[in-house]
Amino acid sequence: MTEREQLKKWINESSNIVFFGGAGVSTESKIPDFRSTDGLYNQKYAYPPETILSHTFYVRKTEEFYRFYRDKMLFPDAEPNRAHKALAKLEEDGKLKAVVTQNIDGLHQKAGSREVLELHGSVLRNYCTRCGKFYEIDAILDSEGVPKCSCGGTIKPDVVLYEEGLDQQTLRKAVSYIANADVLIIGGTSLTVYPAAGLIDYYQGNKLVLINKSVTPMDSRADLVISGPIGEILGDAVGV
């Protein structure tokens, strides 16, 4: 039996699957992983992405933060790919219990997934740091410089920046789903960003699937490793 046939078999037999994904799930929707910085990037920005996307940088150089954020983090026209659609179908079929994602693009929900735990927040949600008023993504896209609330406060994306802690309630739910999963499918993540990568430690089953284009530090712990594009692999396994 090939790796892909094994994956299909486990999916068919299970009604308690949890998916944990990272940036590689969205790159097939033409959303670049900002870690792979291009030449153009280096000409336009004087700081590495991890620095710009830190809490300290946001506070000290808010306007420069927003220049990068609008340019590199917002993709309002992006559409779900086969991976997103496959996961939505698995949930609809009663097989998938939850999607745990490091992505902030909202594409899982756009594909129809309902139980989505966004570890790093979402670009679709923004709020005033003074009065708490909620704003959609257009408030950022349609503004220049630092976006301001009607009360005069600064609008901040509901995104977890470097140096900021994850939402504890979201984290607890993710741990619970993973700990109780029959099949845990991990895809499109290098498993190097903590604390998110540490979630794999809570899995207690024996059907840990890793789908990624490159090797990860966790490959040796997986029960099944499949190398390749996640949209194609999940899409073929689910039939979407």
Side-chain angles (χ1 to χ4, degrees):
M1 187 181 294
T2 67
E3 284 94 352
R4 295 190 186 210
E5 287 167 347
Q6 182 68 70
L7 173 64
K8 196 169 185 175
K9 182 172 185 286
W10 283 354
I11 285 173
N12 288 340
E13 291 171 353
S14 177
S15 59
N16 186 1
I17 303 168
V18 172
F19 178 81
F20 174 52
V25 177
S26 291
T27 49
E28 291 175 41
S29 291
K30 308 274 191 298
I31 295 182
D33 178 356
F34 69 81
R35 278 195 183 72
S36 29
T37 56
D38 49 41
L40 181 68
Y41 169 87
N42 292 322
Q43 292 164 26
K44 288 176 74 173
Y45 301 100
Y47 307 90
E50 282 85 354
T51 301
I52 298 175
L53 294 173
S54 69
H55 180 81
T56 301
F57 193 93
Y58 169 80
V59 171
R60 291 184 183 162
K61 297 179 182 289
T62 314
E63 192 161 345
E64 179 71 358
F65 167 87
Y66 271 110
R67 190 163 77 91
F68 175 85
Y69 184 78
R70 287 189 188 94
D71 190 28
K72 291 285 184 180
M73 306 300 288
L74 300 181
F75 298 88
D77 299 327
E79 290 296 331
N81 59 55
R82 287 180 75 194
H84 298 107
K85 291 170 184 171
L87 293 166
K89 185 174 190 308
L90 285 176
E91 184 184 28
E92 191 184 333
D93 292 346
K95 292 182 162 297
L96 184 86
K97 296 302 182 200
V99 168
V100 180
T101 181
Q102 295 169 284
N103 296 337
I104 55 176
D105 49 46
L107 287 180
H108 285 293
Q109 291 92 328
K110 202 170 184 179
S113 290
R114 292 181 296 277
E115 187 63 8
V116 181
L117 303 178
E118 296 172 311
L119 296 175
H120 296 156
S122 171
V123 298
L124 304 181
R125 299 188 300 269
N126 307 275
Y127 63 94
C128 171
T129 53
R130 182 188 291 175
C131 74
K133 183 178 175 183
F134 173 84
Y135 285 90
E136 295 191 2
I137 192 171
D138 292 347
I140 309 294
L141 289 168
D142 299 342
S143 61
E144 291 182 9
V146 180
K148 294 290 185 183
C149 174
S150 50
C151 80
T154 299
I155 300 173
K156 182 179 186 292
D158 188 11
V159 166
V160 179
L161 302 176
Y162 288 97
E163 305 166 346
E164 294 179 347
L166 302 190
D167 178 75
Q168 289 305 301
Q169 189 181 352
T170 305
L171 202 53
R172 277 195 297 271
K173 282 181 79 173
V175 166
S176 175
Y177 275 121
I178 288 171
N180 293 301
D182 170 32
V183 178
L184 176 61
I185 303 174
I186 299 178
T189 172
S190 57
L191 290 170
T192 52
V193 177
Y194 284 82
L199 288 173
I200 190 174
D201 295 336
Y202 293 96
Y203 178 61
Q204 297 164 20
N206 59 359
K207 296 185 182 76
L208 173 58
V209 183
L210 276 185
I211 305 170
N212 207 36
K213 283 184 175 174
S214 54
V215 297
T216 79
M218 304 292 183
D219 282 11
S220 59
R221 289 173 53 180
D223 302 292
L224 184 60
V225 178
I226 307 178
S227 180
I230 188 161
E232 174 194 307
I233 292 162
L234 276 183
D236 287 354
V238 178
V240 297

